Amino acid sequence: MLIKETQQKVIIQSPSNQRLCHYWTFLPDLADNIAHLLSHEQCEQPDLNIVYYPGHKASINDIARCLALSSGKPVSIIQLSWTILEFIAFFSPLFRRFLKTRELWQHGGKPPAYSMPLHTPSSFIHTPLELALQRSWRSVSNYA
């Protein structure tokens, strides 16, 4: 998903269906959770421990609504064509990696199969997406 802000509006370009839900995370939440896991978890866990971080499940429409509320600008959503992405991938390593996520973008996010029990939900921090975006947007925006 590509997001561009202009003086008048915010533009989202996504290869996903607008109503299809994916798992998203607010990066400061993820950083807080990594710091929490590293500083509070038991040392008996294996060296290669996999922890599933359950992000927020939201569609592109949900994200557009949050961006509109937090920025105060209209948001337009443009369907990003896979054909265009394949062409750009010839020249861009970033887009070559992006193409490998095509199935995820077309079918939505599903939690991975668990090989160990999840941490209790209360041990993870989840900032409501709308409030997190609003706080983040206002703190970094040159247009606010």
Side-chain angles (χ1 to χ4, degrees), residues 113-128:
Y114 306 117
S115 58
M116 54 193 221
L118 272 177
H119 294 276
T120 60
S122 62
S123 69
F124 288 113
I125 299 164
H126 285 291
T127 307

PDB file of all heavy atoms in Angstrom, residues 113-128:
ATOM      1  N   ALA A 113      -0.569 -20.618  11.785  1.00  0.00           N
ATOM      2  CA  ALA A 113      -0.861 -21.762  12.645  1.00  0.00           C
ATOM      3  C   ALA A 113       0.045 -21.664  13.864  1.00  0.00           C
ATOM      4  O   ALA A 113       1.222 -21.349  13.748  1.00  0.00           O
ATOM      5  CB  ALA A 113      -0.602 -23.060  11.890  1.00  0.00           C
ATOM      6  N   TYR A 114      -0.519 -21.915  15.012  1.00  0.00           N
ATOM      7  CA  TYR A 114       0.253 -21.759  16.245  1.00  0.00           C
ATOM      8  C   TYR A 114       0.946 -23.061  16.612  1.00  0.00           C
ATOM      9  O   TYR A 114       0.332 -24.111  16.655  1.00  0.00           O
ATOM     10  CB  TYR A 114      -0.659 -21.346  17.391  1.00  0.00           C
ATOM     11  CG  TYR A 114      -1.465 -20.117  17.082  1.00  0.00           C
ATOM     12  CD1 TYR A 114      -2.847 -20.161  17.015  1.00  0.00           C
ATOM     13  CD2 TYR A 114      -0.828 -18.903  16.815  1.00  0.00           C
ATOM     14  CE1 TYR A 114      -3.579 -19.036  16.713  1.00  0.00           C
ATOM     15  CE2 TYR A 114      -1.565 -17.776  16.517  1.00  0.00           C
ATOM     16  CZ  TYR A 114      -2.925 -17.844  16.473  1.00  0.00           C
ATOM     17  OH  TYR A 114      -3.650 -16.727  16.169  1.00  0.00           O
ATOM     18  N   SER A 115       2.235 -22.964  16.896  1.00  0.00           N
ATOM     19  CA  SER A 115       2.959 -24.134  17.377  1.00  0.00           C
ATOM     20  C   SER A 115       3.159 -24.043  18.881  1.00  0.00           C
ATOM     21  O   SER A 115       3.658 -24.956  19.502  1.00  0.00           O
ATOM     22  CB  SER A 115       4.308 -24.251  16.673  1.00  0.00           C
ATOM     23  OG  SER A 115       5.054 -23.080  16.903  1.00  0.00           O
ATOM     24  N   MET A 116       2.784 -22.921  19.459  1.00  0.00           N
ATOM     25  CA  MET A 116       2.879 -22.737  20.900  1.00  0.00           C
ATOM     26  C   MET A 116       1.771 -21.788  21.325  1.00  0.00           C
ATOM     27  O   MET A 116       1.222 -21.065  20.507  1.00  0.00           O
ATOM     28  CB  MET A 116       4.241 -22.183  21.280  1.00  0.00           C
ATOM     29  CG  MET A 116       4.623 -20.925  20.568  1.00  0.00           C
ATOM     30  SD  MET A 116       6.350 -20.621  20.843  1.00  0.00           S
ATOM     31  CE  MET A 116       6.305 -18.890  21.080  1.00  0.00           C
ATOM     32  N   PRO A 117       1.438 -21.781  22.617  1.00  0.00           N
ATOM     33  CA  PRO A 117       0.323 -20.947  23.061  1.00  0.00           C
ATOM     34  C   PRO A 117       0.629 -19.456  22.906  1.00  0.00           C
ATOM     35  O   PRO A 117       1.771 -19.030  23.017  1.00  0.00           O
ATOM     36  CB  PRO A 117       0.150 -21.320  24.533  1.00  0.00           C
ATOM     37  CG  PRO A 117       1.422 -21.981  24.939  1.00  0.00           C
ATOM     38  CD  PRO A 117       2.039 -22.549  23.700  1.00  0.00           C
ATOM     39  N   LEU A 118      -0.424 -18.699  22.624  1.00  0.00           N
ATOM     40  CA  LEU A 118      -0.291 -17.249  22.518  1.00  0.00           C
ATOM     41  C   LEU A 118      -0.106 -16.642  23.895  1.00  0.00           C
ATOM     42  O   LEU A 118      -0.588 -17.162  24.892  1.00  0.00           O
ATOM     43  CB  LEU A 118      -1.567 -16.654  21.927  1.00  0.00           C
ATOM     44  CG  LEU A 118      -1.686 -16.558  20.438  1.00  0.00           C
ATOM     45  CD1 LEU A 118      -3.053 -16.012  20.075  1.00  0.00           C
ATOM     46  CD2 LEU A 118      -0.606 -15.682  19.869  1.00  0.00           C
ATOM     47  N   HIS A 119       0.556 -15.506  23.920  1.00  0.00           N
ATOM     48  CA  HIS A 119       0.603 -14.732  25.143  1.00  0.00           C
ATOM     49  C   HIS A 119      -0.805 -14.206  25.402  1.00  0.00           C
ATOM     50  O   HIS A 119      -1.599 -14.059  24.489  1.00  0.00           O
ATOM     51  CB  HIS A 119       1.568 -13.559  24.993  1.00  0.00           C
ATOM     52  CG  HIS A 119       2.982 -13.990  24.824  1.00  0.00           C
ATOM     53  ND1 HIS A 119       3.791 -14.299  25.876  1.00  0.00           N
ATOM     54  CD2 HIS A 119       3.721 -14.191  23.716  1.00  0.00           C
ATOM     55  CE1 HIS A 119       4.971 -14.663  25.427  1.00  0.00           C
ATOM     56  NE2 HIS A 119       4.950 -14.605  24.107  1.00  0.00           N
ATOM     57  N   THR A 120      -1.091 -13.886  26.633  1.00  0.00           N
ATOM     58  CA  THR A 120      -2.415 -13.333  26.911  1.00  0.00           C
ATOM     59  C   THR A 120      -2.548 -11.999  26.191  1.00  0.00           C
ATOM     60  O   THR A 120      -1.571 -11.253  26.085  1.00  0.00           O
ATOM     61  CB  THR A 120      -2.612 -13.117  28.425  1.00  0.00           C
ATOM     62  OG1 THR A 120      -1.608 -12.204  28.870  1.00  0.00           O
ATOM     63  CG2 THR A 120      -2.538 -14.416  29.181  1.00  0.00           C
ATOM     64  N   PRO A 121      -3.722 -11.708  25.669  1.00  0.00           N
ATOM     65  CA  PRO A 121      -3.894 -10.461  24.926  1.00  0.00           C
ATOM     66  C   PRO A 121      -3.505  -9.224  25.735  1.00  0.00           C
ATOM     67  O   PRO A 121      -3.065  -8.245  25.186  1.00  0.00           O
ATOM     68  CB  PRO A 121      -5.377 -10.443  24.583  1.00  0.00           C
ATOM     69  CG  PRO A 121      -5.807 -11.870  24.623  1.00  0.00           C
ATOM     70  CD  PRO A 121      -4.924 -12.531  25.660  1.00  0.00           C
ATOM     71  N   SER A 122      -3.641  -9.290  27.063  1.00  0.00           N
ATOM     72  CA  SER A 122      -3.329  -8.118  27.871  1.00  0.00           C
ATOM     73  C   SER A 122      -1.831  -7.810  27.896  1.00  0.00           C
ATOM     74  O   SER A 122      -1.430  -6.716  28.258  1.00  0.00           O
ATOM     75  CB  SER A 122      -3.847  -8.302  29.297  1.00  0.00           C
ATOM     76  OG  SER A 122      -3.205  -9.419  29.890  1.00  0.00           O
ATOM     77  N   SER A 123      -0.983  -8.773  27.511  1.00  0.00           N
ATOM     78  CA  SER A 123       0.455  -8.502  27.514  1.00  0.00           C
ATOM     79  C   SER A 123       0.891  -7.709  26.286  1.00  0.00           C
ATOM     80  O   SER A 123       2.011  -7.231  26.228  1.00  0.00           O
ATOM     81  CB  SER A 123       1.253  -9.800  27.611  1.00  0.00           C
ATOM     82  OG  SER A 123       1.130 -10.555  26.422  1.00  0.00           O
ATOM     83  N   PHE A 124      -0.001  -7.543  25.305  1.00  0.00           N
ATOM     84  CA  PHE A 124       0.318  -6.762  24.116  1.00  0.00           C
ATOM     85  C   PHE A 124      -0.385  -5.418  24.186  1.00  0.00           C
ATOM     86  O   PHE A 124      -1.509  -5.306  24.635  1.00  0.00           O
ATOM     87  CB  PHE A 124      -0.129  -7.487  22.848  1.00  0.00           C
ATOM     88  CG  PHE A 124       0.703  -8.677  22.518  1.00  0.00           C
ATOM     89  CD1 PHE A 124       0.171  -9.948  22.584  1.00  0.00           C
ATOM     90  CD2 PHE A 124       2.025  -8.531  22.135  1.00  0.00           C
ATOM     91  CE1 PHE A 124       0.941 -11.052  22.270  1.00  0.00           C
ATOM     92  CE2 PHE A 124       2.800  -9.622  21.819  1.00  0.00           C
ATOM     93  CZ  PHE A 124       2.263 -10.888  21.889  1.00  0.00           C
ATOM     94  N   ILE A 125       0.306  -4.409  23.693  1.00  0.00           N
ATOM     95  CA  ILE A 125      -0.255  -3.062  23.642  1.00  0.00           C
ATOM     96  C   ILE A 125      -0.901  -2.869  22.283  1.00  0.00           C
ATOM     97  O   ILE A 125      -0.284  -3.144  21.264  1.00  0.00           O
ATOM     98  CB  ILE A 125       0.854  -2.009  23.835  1.00  0.00           C
ATOM     99  CG1 ILE A 125       1.514  -2.183  25.196  1.00  0.00           C
ATOM    100  CG2 ILE A 125       0.315  -0.597  23.662  1.00  0.00           C
ATOM    101  CD1 ILE A 125       2.839  -1.460  25.318  1.00  0.00           C
ATOM    102  N   HIS A 126      -2.142  -2.412  22.287  1.00  0.00           N
ATOM    103  CA  HIS A 126      -2.826  -2.121  21.026  1.00  0.00           C
ATOM    104  C   HIS A 126      -3.424  -0.731  21.115  1.00  0.00           C
ATOM    105  O   HIS A 126      -4.458  -0.535  21.736  1.00  0.00           O
ATOM    106  CB  HIS A 126      -3.949  -3.123  20.761  1.00  0.00           C
ATOM    107  CG  HIS A 126      -3.449  -4.455  20.333  1.00  0.00           C
ATOM    108  ND1 HIS A 126      -2.859  -4.663  19.126  1.00  0.00           N
ATOM    109  CD2 HIS A 126      -3.441  -5.636  20.972  1.00  0.00           C
ATOM    110  CE1 HIS A 126      -2.513  -5.928  19.019  1.00  0.00           C
ATOM    111  NE2 HIS A 126      -2.847  -6.539  20.130  1.00  0.00           N
ATOM    112  N   THR A 127      -2.782   0.212  20.498  1.00  0.00           N
ATOM    113  CA  THR A 127      -3.347   1.544  20.425  1.00  0.00           C
ATOM    114  C   THR A 127      -4.466   1.521  19.394  1.00  0.00           C
ATOM    115  O   THR A 127      -4.254   1.023  18.303  1.00  0.00           O
ATOM    116  CB  THR A 127      -2.277   2.553  19.961  1.00  0.00           C
ATOM    117  OG1 THR A 127      -1.146   2.432  20.800  1.00  0.00           O
ATOM    118  CG2 THR A 127      -2.797   3.966  20.018  1.00  0.00           C
ATOM    119  N   PRO A 128      -5.650   2.027  19.726  1.00  0.00           N
ATOM    120  CA  PRO A 128      -6.685   2.082  18.691  1.00  0.00           C
ATOM    121  C   PRO A 128      -6.141   2.824  17.473  1.00  0.00           C
ATOM    122  O   PRO A 128      -5.549   3.889  17.590  1.00  0.00           O
ATOM    123  CB  PRO A 128      -7.818   2.843  19.359  1.00  0.00           C
ATOM    124  CG  PRO A 128      -7.604   2.617  20.820  1.00  0.00           C
ATOM    125  CD  PRO A 128      -6.113   2.536  20.998  1.00  0.00           C
TER     126      PRO A 128
END
